[in-house]
Short mmCIF file of all heavy atoms in Angstrom, two decimals:
data_model
loop_
_atom_site.label_atom_id
_atom_site.label_comp_id
_atom_site.label_asym_id
_atom_site.label_seq_id
_atom_site.Cartn_x
_atom_site.Cartn_y
_atom_site.Cartn_z
N ALA A 1 93.72 112.77 159.57
CA ALA A 1 93.34 113.25 160.93
C ALA A 1 91.90 113.51 161.05
O ALA A 1 91.25 113.26 162.10
CB ALA A 1 94.22 114.46 161.25
N LYS A 2 91.25 114.01 159.96
CA LYS A 2 89.83 114.28 160.00
C LYS A 2 89.07 112.92 160.04
O LYS A 2 88.03 112.80 160.79
CB LYS A 2 89.43 115.07 158.77
CG LYS A 2 87.98 115.45 158.66
CD LYS A 2 87.55 116.26 157.44
CE LYS A 2 86.06 116.52 157.45
NZ LYS A 2 85.67 117.34 156.24
N LEU A 3 89.54 112.00 159.25
CA LEU A 3 88.95 110.69 159.31
C LEU A 3 89.03 110.04 160.71
O LEU A 3 88.04 109.45 161.25
CB LEU A 3 89.54 109.71 158.28
CG LEU A 3 89.04 108.32 158.30
CD1 LEU A 3 87.61 108.17 158.00
CD2 LEU A 3 89.91 107.43 157.23
N MET A 4 90.21 110.13 161.33
CA MET A 4 90.40 109.63 162.68
C MET A 4 89.47 110.29 163.67
O MET A 4 88.87 109.59 164.55
CB MET A 4 91.84 109.94 163.10
CG MET A 4 92.16 109.35 164.51
SD MET A 4 93.75 109.98 165.01
CE MET A 4 93.33 111.67 165.49
N THR A 5 89.29 111.61 163.56
CA THR A 5 88.40 112.31 164.39
C THR A 5 86.90 111.88 164.23
O THR A 5 86.14 111.72 165.10
CB THR A 5 88.47 113.88 164.21
OG1 THR A 5 89.89 114.25 164.45
CG2 THR A 5 87.58 114.60 165.21
N ALA A 6 86.50 111.71 162.90
CA ALA A 6 85.21 111.26 162.64
C ALA A 6 84.88 109.85 163.27
O ALA A 6 83.81 109.66 163.75
CB ALA A 6 84.94 111.26 161.10
N MET A 7 85.87 109.00 163.17
CA MET A 7 85.77 107.70 163.79
C MET A 7 85.72 107.69 165.29
O MET A 7 84.91 106.92 165.90
CB MET A 7 86.89 106.76 163.36
CG MET A 7 86.87 106.42 161.82
SD MET A 7 88.45 105.84 161.25
CE MET A 7 88.61 104.26 162.26
N ASN A 8 86.41 108.60 165.86
CA ASN A 8 86.48 108.88 167.29
C ASN A 8 86.58 107.57 168.13
O ASN A 8 85.81 107.28 169.05
CB ASN A 8 85.19 109.62 167.76
CG ASN A 8 85.28 110.18 169.15
OD1 ASN A 8 86.35 110.58 169.59
ND2 ASN A 8 84.25 110.25 169.91
N GLN A 9 87.64 106.78 167.74
CA GLN A 9 87.84 105.53 168.42
C GLN A 9 88.64 105.80 169.73
O GLN A 9 89.44 106.81 169.83
CB GLN A 9 88.67 104.61 167.58
CG GLN A 9 88.08 104.36 166.21
CD GLN A 9 86.87 103.40 166.36
OE1 GLN A 9 86.94 102.23 166.62
NE2 GLN A 9 85.68 103.99 166.23
N ASN A 10 88.30 105.06 170.75
CA ASN A 10 89.10 105.08 172.01
C ASN A 10 89.98 103.89 172.13
O ASN A 10 89.48 102.75 172.36
CB ASN A 10 88.14 105.21 173.22
CG ASN A 10 88.86 105.32 174.48
OD1 ASN A 10 90.07 105.24 174.67
ND2 ASN A 10 88.13 105.54 175.57
N ALA A 11 91.32 104.12 171.98
CA ALA A 11 92.20 102.98 171.80
C ALA A 11 92.49 102.22 173.06
O ALA A 11 93.36 101.31 173.12
CB ALA A 11 93.53 103.49 171.20
N VAL A 12 91.80 102.55 174.15
CA VAL A 12 92.02 101.91 175.44
C VAL A 12 91.56 100.44 175.36
O VAL A 12 92.09 99.55 176.07
CB VAL A 12 91.33 102.64 176.62
CG1 VAL A 12 89.80 102.52 176.46
CG2 VAL A 12 91.89 102.11 177.93
N LYS A 13 90.54 100.07 174.56
CA LYS A 13 90.02 98.75 174.54
C LYS A 13 89.32 98.41 173.23
O LYS A 13 88.94 99.26 172.49
CB LYS A 13 88.94 98.62 175.71
CG LYS A 13 87.73 99.41 175.60
CD LYS A 13 86.82 99.25 176.91
CE LYS A 13 86.15 97.92 176.91
NZ LYS A 13 86.86 96.74 177.31
N ILE A 14 89.11 97.04 173.09
CA ILE A 14 88.52 96.57 171.94
C ILE A 14 87.10 97.06 171.63
O ILE A 14 86.69 97.34 170.59
CB ILE A 14 88.52 94.98 171.88
CG1 ILE A 14 89.91 94.41 171.72
CG2 ILE A 14 87.61 94.40 170.92
CD1 ILE A 14 90.46 94.51 170.30
N GLU A 15 86.30 97.21 172.74
CA GLU A 15 84.95 97.60 172.57
C GLU A 15 84.78 99.03 172.03
O GLU A 15 83.67 99.43 171.67
CB GLU A 15 84.21 97.48 173.98
CG GLU A 15 84.10 95.94 174.40
CD GLU A 15 83.40 95.96 175.79
OE1 GLU A 15 83.24 96.93 176.38
OE2 GLU A 15 83.15 94.78 176.15
N THR A 16 85.80 99.83 172.01
CA THR A 16 85.76 101.16 171.47
C THR A 16 86.79 101.35 170.37
O THR A 16 86.92 102.47 169.93
CB THR A 16 86.00 102.19 172.62
OG1 THR A 16 87.17 101.87 173.32
CG2 THR A 16 84.87 102.22 173.56
N ALA A 17 87.57 100.37 170.00
CA ALA A 17 88.54 100.43 168.95
C ALA A 17 88.78 99.05 168.39
O ALA A 17 89.89 98.59 168.46
CB ALA A 17 89.81 101.09 169.48
N LYS A 18 87.78 98.50 167.78
CA LYS A 18 87.81 97.10 167.27
C LYS A 18 89.00 96.81 166.40
O LYS A 18 89.93 96.11 166.67
CB LYS A 18 86.49 96.73 166.80
CG LYS A 18 86.34 95.26 166.42
CD LYS A 18 84.87 94.98 165.94
CE LYS A 18 84.68 93.48 165.65
NZ LYS A 18 83.29 93.17 165.15
N ALA A 19 88.86 97.32 165.16
CA ALA A 19 89.93 97.03 164.08
C ALA A 19 91.13 97.88 164.43
O ALA A 19 92.26 97.36 164.17
CB ALA A 19 89.36 97.41 162.82
N LEU A 20 91.02 99.07 164.97
CA LEU A 20 92.16 99.87 165.19
C LEU A 20 93.20 99.34 166.19
O LEU A 20 94.34 99.48 166.07
CB LEU A 20 91.72 101.28 165.75
CG LEU A 20 92.83 102.40 165.76
CD1 LEU A 20 93.18 102.77 164.41
CD2 LEU A 20 92.36 103.55 166.59
N SER A 21 92.73 98.51 167.11
CA SER A 21 93.62 97.87 168.13
C SER A 21 94.63 96.93 167.40
O SER A 21 95.78 96.99 167.68
CB SER A 21 92.82 97.05 169.08
OG SER A 21 91.94 97.85 169.90
N PHE A 22 94.13 96.26 166.41
CA PHE A 22 94.99 95.38 165.67
C PHE A 22 95.86 96.07 164.65
O PHE A 22 97.02 95.77 164.43
CB PHE A 22 94.14 94.24 164.97
CG PHE A 22 93.39 93.45 165.89
CD1 PHE A 22 91.91 93.65 165.96
CD2 PHE A 22 94.00 92.50 166.68
CE1 PHE A 22 91.22 92.86 166.84
CE2 PHE A 22 93.16 91.72 167.62
CZ PHE A 22 91.79 91.98 167.68
N CYS A 23 95.32 97.15 164.09
CA CYS A 23 96.14 98.05 163.24
C CYS A 23 97.23 98.65 164.01
O CYS A 23 98.36 98.82 163.50
CB CYS A 23 95.20 99.16 162.73
SG CYS A 23 96.00 100.39 161.64
N GLU A 24 97.01 99.07 165.28
CA GLU A 24 98.05 99.62 166.08
C GLU A 24 99.13 98.67 166.37
O GLU A 24 100.33 98.98 166.30
CB GLU A 24 97.41 100.17 167.35
CG GLU A 24 98.52 100.82 168.35
CD GLU A 24 97.83 101.49 169.56
OE1 GLU A 24 96.84 102.27 169.32
OE2 GLU A 24 98.34 101.24 170.72
N ARG A 25 98.73 97.44 166.78
CA ARG A 25 99.76 96.41 166.97
C ARG A 25 100.63 96.19 165.82
O ARG A 25 101.78 95.91 165.87
CB ARG A 25 99.07 95.15 167.49
CG ARG A 25 98.38 95.26 168.82
CD ARG A 25 97.75 93.88 169.29
NE ARG A 25 98.76 92.83 169.50
CZ ARG A 25 99.18 92.47 170.69
NH1 ARG A 25 98.72 93.09 171.82
NH2 ARG A 25 100.02 91.47 170.74
N GLU A 26 100.04 96.19 164.59
CA GLU A 26 100.81 95.88 163.39
C GLU A 26 101.80 97.03 163.11
O GLU A 26 102.96 96.79 162.83
CB GLU A 26 99.80 95.84 162.20
CG GLU A 26 100.53 95.56 160.90
CD GLU A 26 99.58 95.42 159.75
OE1 GLU A 26 99.09 96.48 159.26
OE2 GLU A 26 99.35 94.27 159.25
N ALA A 27 101.33 98.28 163.26
CA ALA A 27 102.24 99.40 163.19
C ALA A 27 103.45 99.35 164.07
O ALA A 27 104.53 99.61 163.71
CB ALA A 27 101.48 100.74 163.27
N LEU A 28 103.17 99.02 165.34
CA LEU A 28 104.24 98.96 166.29
C LEU A 28 105.23 97.81 165.99
O LEU A 28 106.35 97.92 166.19
CB LEU A 28 103.63 98.79 167.66
CG LEU A 28 102.87 100.01 168.26
CD1 LEU A 28 102.09 99.58 169.59
CD2 LEU A 28 103.85 101.10 168.59
N ALA A 29 104.61 96.68 165.53
CA ALA A 29 105.48 95.62 165.12
C ALA A 29 106.44 95.90 163.94
O ALA A 29 107.61 95.48 163.90
CB ALA A 29 104.61 94.44 164.70
N MET A 30 106.02 96.78 163.02
CA MET A 30 106.80 97.24 161.94
C MET A 30 108.05 97.92 162.40
O MET A 30 109.16 97.66 162.02
CB MET A 30 106.01 98.07 160.99
CG MET A 30 104.89 97.49 160.23
SD MET A 30 104.12 98.72 159.21
CE MET A 30 102.58 97.96 158.80
N LEU A 31 107.85 98.84 163.38
CA LEU A 31 108.97 99.60 163.89
C LEU A 31 109.88 98.74 164.86
O LEU A 31 111.08 98.84 164.85
CB LEU A 31 108.46 100.83 164.66
CG LEU A 31 108.09 101.98 163.80
CD1 LEU A 31 107.37 103.07 164.59
CD2 LEU A 31 109.30 102.59 163.16
N HIS A 32 109.25 97.84 165.61
CA HIS A 32 109.99 96.90 166.44
C HIS A 32 110.88 96.06 165.56
O HIS A 32 112.14 95.89 165.93
CB HIS A 32 108.97 95.95 167.20
CG HIS A 32 109.58 95.11 168.21
ND1 HIS A 32 110.27 93.95 167.86
CD2 HIS A 32 109.60 95.18 169.52
CE1 HIS A 32 110.69 93.31 168.93
NE2 HIS A 32 110.34 94.04 170.04
N ARG A 33 110.40 95.59 164.47
CA ARG A 33 111.23 94.78 163.55
C ARG A 33 112.35 95.67 163.04
O ARG A 33 113.52 95.16 162.87
CB ARG A 33 110.44 94.28 162.38
CG ARG A 33 111.19 93.29 161.51
CD ARG A 33 110.18 92.58 160.60
NE ARG A 33 110.82 91.47 159.98
CZ ARG A 33 110.20 90.27 159.67
NH1 ARG A 33 108.98 90.20 160.00
NH2 ARG A 33 110.85 89.37 159.19
N GLN A 34 112.19 96.94 162.79
CA GLN A 34 113.30 97.83 162.27
C GLN A 34 114.33 98.02 163.36
O GLN A 34 115.49 98.17 163.02
CB GLN A 34 112.60 99.12 161.83
CG GLN A 34 113.53 99.95 160.90
CD GLN A 34 113.82 99.36 159.62
OE1 GLN A 34 113.08 98.32 159.12
NE2 GLN A 34 114.86 99.71 158.81
N ILE A 35 113.98 97.94 164.60
CA ILE A 35 114.89 98.13 165.68
C ILE A 35 115.63 96.82 165.96
O ILE A 35 116.85 96.81 166.04
CB ILE A 35 114.21 98.63 167.00
CG1 ILE A 35 113.49 99.99 166.82
CG2 ILE A 35 115.20 98.67 168.15
CD1 ILE A 35 112.55 100.37 167.88
N TYR A 36 114.85 95.81 166.20
CA TYR A 36 115.47 94.52 166.67
C TYR A 36 115.74 93.48 165.59
O TYR A 36 116.57 92.56 165.89
CB TYR A 36 114.52 93.94 167.75
CG TYR A 36 114.42 94.84 169.00
CD1 TYR A 36 113.29 95.58 169.26
CD2 TYR A 36 115.44 94.87 169.91
CE1 TYR A 36 113.19 96.35 170.45
CE2 TYR A 36 115.47 95.62 171.06
CZ TYR A 36 114.27 96.40 171.27
OH TYR A 36 114.19 97.18 172.53
N SER A 37 115.15 93.51 164.45
CA SER A 37 115.39 92.60 163.39
C SER A 37 115.28 91.08 163.84
O SER A 37 116.18 90.28 163.43
CB SER A 37 116.74 92.85 162.79
OG SER A 37 116.84 94.19 162.24
N PHE A 38 114.23 90.71 164.57
CA PHE A 38 114.03 89.35 164.99
C PHE A 38 113.48 88.54 163.71
O PHE A 38 113.22 89.19 162.62
CB PHE A 38 113.07 89.28 166.15
CG PHE A 38 113.70 89.78 167.47
CD1 PHE A 38 112.95 90.32 168.45
CD2 PHE A 38 115.08 89.61 167.71
CE1 PHE A 38 113.45 90.70 169.65
CE2 PHE A 38 115.68 90.03 168.90
CZ PHE A 38 114.92 90.57 169.90
N SER A 39 113.30 87.33 163.89
CA SER A 39 112.94 86.44 162.83
C SER A 39 111.50 86.62 162.40
O SER A 39 110.67 87.11 163.17
CB SER A 39 113.23 84.96 163.07
OG SER A 39 112.36 84.67 164.24
N ASP A 40 111.16 86.11 161.18
CA ASP A 40 109.68 86.07 160.83
C ASP A 40 108.90 85.30 161.83
O ASP A 40 107.76 85.70 162.17
CB ASP A 40 109.56 85.39 159.46
CG ASP A 40 110.12 86.23 158.30
OD1 ASP A 40 110.39 87.40 158.46
OD2 ASP A 40 110.37 85.68 157.17
N GLY A 41 109.47 84.18 162.29
CA GLY A 41 108.67 83.42 163.26
C GLY A 41 108.36 84.10 164.61
O GLY A 41 107.33 83.96 165.16
N PHE A 42 109.30 84.96 164.98
CA PHE A 42 109.14 85.79 166.16
C PHE A 42 107.88 86.71 166.01
O PHE A 42 107.01 86.75 166.90
CB PHE A 42 110.36 86.62 166.49
CG PHE A 42 110.18 87.58 167.67
CD1 PHE A 42 110.47 87.22 168.90
CD2 PHE A 42 109.78 88.88 167.41
CE1 PHE A 42 110.32 88.12 169.99
CE2 PHE A 42 109.64 89.74 168.46
CZ PHE A 42 109.89 89.33 169.77
N TYR A 43 107.91 87.43 164.85
CA TYR A 43 106.68 88.35 164.66
C TYR A 43 105.42 87.55 164.42
O TYR A 43 104.37 88.04 164.74
CB TYR A 43 107.10 89.29 163.60
CG TYR A 43 108.25 90.25 164.04
CD1 TYR A 43 109.51 90.02 163.60
CD2 TYR A 43 108.01 91.26 164.94
CE1 TYR A 43 110.53 90.86 164.04
CE2 TYR A 43 109.06 92.06 165.49
CZ TYR A 43 110.32 91.75 165.02
OH TYR A 43 111.33 92.52 165.39
N ASP A 44 105.48 86.41 163.71
CA ASP A 44 104.32 85.68 163.55
C ASP A 44 103.73 85.25 164.87
O ASP A 44 102.49 85.17 165.12
CB ASP A 44 104.58 84.40 162.77
CG ASP A 44 104.82 84.63 161.29
OD1 ASP A 44 104.55 85.75 160.79
OD2 ASP A 44 105.51 83.79 160.68
N GLN A 45 104.58 84.94 165.90
CA GLN A 45 104.13 84.60 167.24
C GLN A 45 103.55 85.68 168.02
O GLN A 45 102.63 85.43 168.80
CB GLN A 45 105.29 83.89 167.95
CG GLN A 45 104.94 83.47 169.39
CD GLN A 45 106.14 82.94 170.09
OE1 GLN A 45 107.23 82.71 169.54
NE2 GLN A 45 106.04 82.63 171.38
N HIS A 46 104.19 86.93 167.91
CA HIS A 46 103.87 87.96 168.85
C HIS A 46 103.02 89.09 168.34
O HIS A 46 102.48 89.86 169.16
CB HIS A 46 105.18 88.50 169.44
CG HIS A 46 105.97 87.52 170.18
ND1 HIS A 46 105.51 87.03 171.46
CD2 HIS A 46 107.07 86.84 170.01
CE1 HIS A 46 106.33 86.13 171.90
NE2 HIS A 46 107.38 86.03 171.08
#
């Protein structure tokens, strides 16, 4: 949490959260897969 505060990224857009935007999408995809269990191809696509 201290590291997150030091980085002070604004997750609203790429210009203020470059790498974090993709990190967030990956984390959400992990939980999405745990709920819906779609195929590897689905997650590769989306």
Side-chain angles (χ1 to χ4, degrees):
K2 182 178 178 181
L3 173 61
M4 182 192 75
T5 302
M7 292 164 61
N8 196 30
Q9 303 292 283
N10 183 352
V12 70
K13 67 181 285 78
I14 286 287
E15 292 178 352
T16 52
K18 188 176 181 180
L20 189 70
S21 297
F22 301 106
C23 178
E24 179 171 314
R25 291 180 68 100
E26 180 178 76
L28 290 169
M30 292 180 198
L31 280 170
H32 187 282
R33 187 170 195 142
Q34 197 65 16
I35 297 167
Y36 292 106
S37 300
F38 289 149
S39 67
D40 290 345
F42 175 89
Y43 293 101
D44 289 342
Q45 178 185 351
H46 295 291

